[in-house]
Amino acid sequence: MSKTYVHGYHPRENERLQDQAGTLVDLLHSDTAYPPGSLVLEAGCGVGAQTVTLAQRSPDARFISVDVSAHSIAEAKRRTEAAGFTNVQFQQADIFALPFRPESFDHVFVCFALEHLSRPVEALAILNKLLKPGGNMTVIEGDHGSTYFHPESRAAQMAIHCQVELQRLAGGNALIGRQLYPLMVQADLEAVHVSPRMVYVDSSRPDLVDGFTRKTFTAMIEGVRESAIRAGIIDPEAFDAGVRDLHRTAEPDGVFCYTFFKGVGEKRRRV
Ligand SMILES: C[S@@+](CC[C@H](N)C(=O)[O-])C[C@H]1O[C@@H](n2cnc3c(N)ncnc32)[C@H](O)[C@@H]1O
């Protein structure tokens, strides 16, 4: 795991992950469904924001969802049970020390976890070994360098840079989305295909203005205020001006764009 998980484990962050998952379900998950009877490993499940969608879209598949944080696992279990799903089993485990035999899973699913790891190729290679021959892996990551908006604002870009820099200092990479193809190939997956998934938000989509621009992206940047100031990356006035400008993009004449990347690769078949 990265030295520190940059977003933290606070209730507000949990809500943000839920808002993010709810808003992006179609964009990110519409083409993910697992066949009846298949066994899927979800690595880095957090508080279960994606787990609920996975379980719902593939009701006859079985999921084992793991996270290094016991607290997140407890919350994920609570949410999934509250939603009535019985096809998910949760387990606290570190991706770098997973308690599973090679070739145990038909599919692996990883979302927004790679960006927090200092050794992403090693993590993908470990997960690849857990796939059965013919199995596949799906990886979804964001890339904060893909953020642009109207009105343009240097201050807002500087506030976003604080998040990128803090994540880098913690051993992660907030710009990892653009690297998915080479990372998956280096982890020896084959037939890798990466598709960019752009979120485009203007005021004709008030659900996205609220659910994505405000409550997902801007809330994430707001969440690093104290750490960024403490780390000496920015001063309070500059940070607050940047956040104000991010909120400005959620006004009726504002526009906000962000791109996620979804990669799917197959386990190499034995020759
Ligand atoms: C941004 S959250 C994403 C959670 C979930 N996949 C989602 O999309 O909402 C990243 C998660 O990765 C977990 N994580 C970080 N390093 C890990 C590791 N080495 N092994 C397992 N989980 C890890 C963190 O505890 C955190 O819950």
Side-chain angles (χ1 to χ4, degrees):
M1 186 189 183
S2 318
K3 280 165 254 162
T4 327
Y5 172 49
V6 73
H7 302 313
Y9 291 106
H10 306 296
R12 203 169 161 213
E13 169 60 9
N14 293 351
E15 263 173 49
R16 191 188 71 79
L17 288 170
Q18 294 296 336
D19 280 330
Q20 169 169 276
T23 306
L24 301 175
V25 164
D26 286 342
L27 184 75
L28 300 182
H29 294 282
S30 57
D31 50 352
T32 300
Y34 298 113
S38 54
L39 183 62
V40 186
L41 172 66
E42 184 194 8
C45 65
V47 293
Q50 318 296 335
T51 315
V52 174
T53 302
L54 293 173
Q56 186 187 17
R57 293 202 168 224
S58 303
D60 298 318
R62 288 179 300 127
F63 295 87
I64 296 184
S65 296
V66 302
D67 198 282
V68 75
S69 158
H71 181 265
S72 295
I73 284 288
E75 178 64 11
K77 193 166 187 296
R78 192 192 64 73
R79 281 171 197 254
T80 310
E81 284 172 2
F85 295 108
T86 54
N87 55 338
V88 188
Q89 213 181 298
F90 290 97
Q91 202 166 328
Q92 183 194 1
D94 188 322
I95 288 172
F96 293 100
L98 289 169
F100 307 115
R101 288 178 193 282
E103 305 191 355
S104 297
F105 295 91
D106 298 293
H107 306 279
V108 169
F109 179 89
V110 192
C111 185
F112 309 144
L114 225 51
E115 58 167 317
H116 298 292
L117 305 178
S118 54
R119 290 170 284 136
V121 174
E122 192 181 322
L124 290 174
I126 288 171
L127 295 169
N128 190 8
K129 287 207 175 75
L130 297 180
L131 278 173
K132 292 179 189 168
N136 75 8
M137 189 183 317
T138 299
V139 186
I140 302 174
E141 295 290 337
D143 186 322
H144 295 355
S146 72
T147 315
Y148 54 92
F149 35 75
H150 173 76
E152 174 62 306
S153 159
R154 171 102 185 103
Q157 291 291 3
M158 278 169 61
I160 295 167
H161 173 73
C162 292
Q163 160 79 61
V164 174
E165 189 55 13
L166 283 169
Q167 203 156 326
R168 189 186 66 77
L169 292 170
N173 180 3
L175 309 176
I176 202 165
R178 70 189 73 175
Q179 288 183 39
L180 273 194
Y181 181 84
L183 293 174
M184 292 176 78
V185 169
Q186 282 168 49
D188 202 32
L189 289 153
E190 69 174 5
V192 175
H193 177 73
V194 174
S195 54
R197 311 275 165 120
M198 185 188 184
V199 188
Y200 166 78
V201 188
D202 64 29
S203 58
S204 69
R205 291 291 308 271
D207 54 332
L208 283 177
V209 172
D210 197 49
F212 189 75
T213 307
R214 287 203 188 95
K215 291 187 175 156
T216 297
F217 193 86
T218 305
M220 173 184 68
I221 300 302
E222 281 174 312
V224 302
R225 184 180 189 277
E226 305 313 322
S227 318
I229 294 165
R230 213 179 314 118
I233 301 170
I234 199 165
D235 61 56
E237 295 71 27
F239 187 87
D240 294 342
V243 167
R244 262 198 312 278
D245 285 356
L246 283 176
H247 279 291
R248 172 69 183 82
T249 70
E251 296 293 313
D253 63 345
V255 173
F256 191 89
C257 304
Y258 186 92
T259 303
F260 293 92
F261 295 82
K262 180 169 184 173
V264 181
E266 293 171 10
K267 176 147 185 141
R268 189 174 293 285
R269 287 175 196 273
R270 292 191 199 104
V271 280

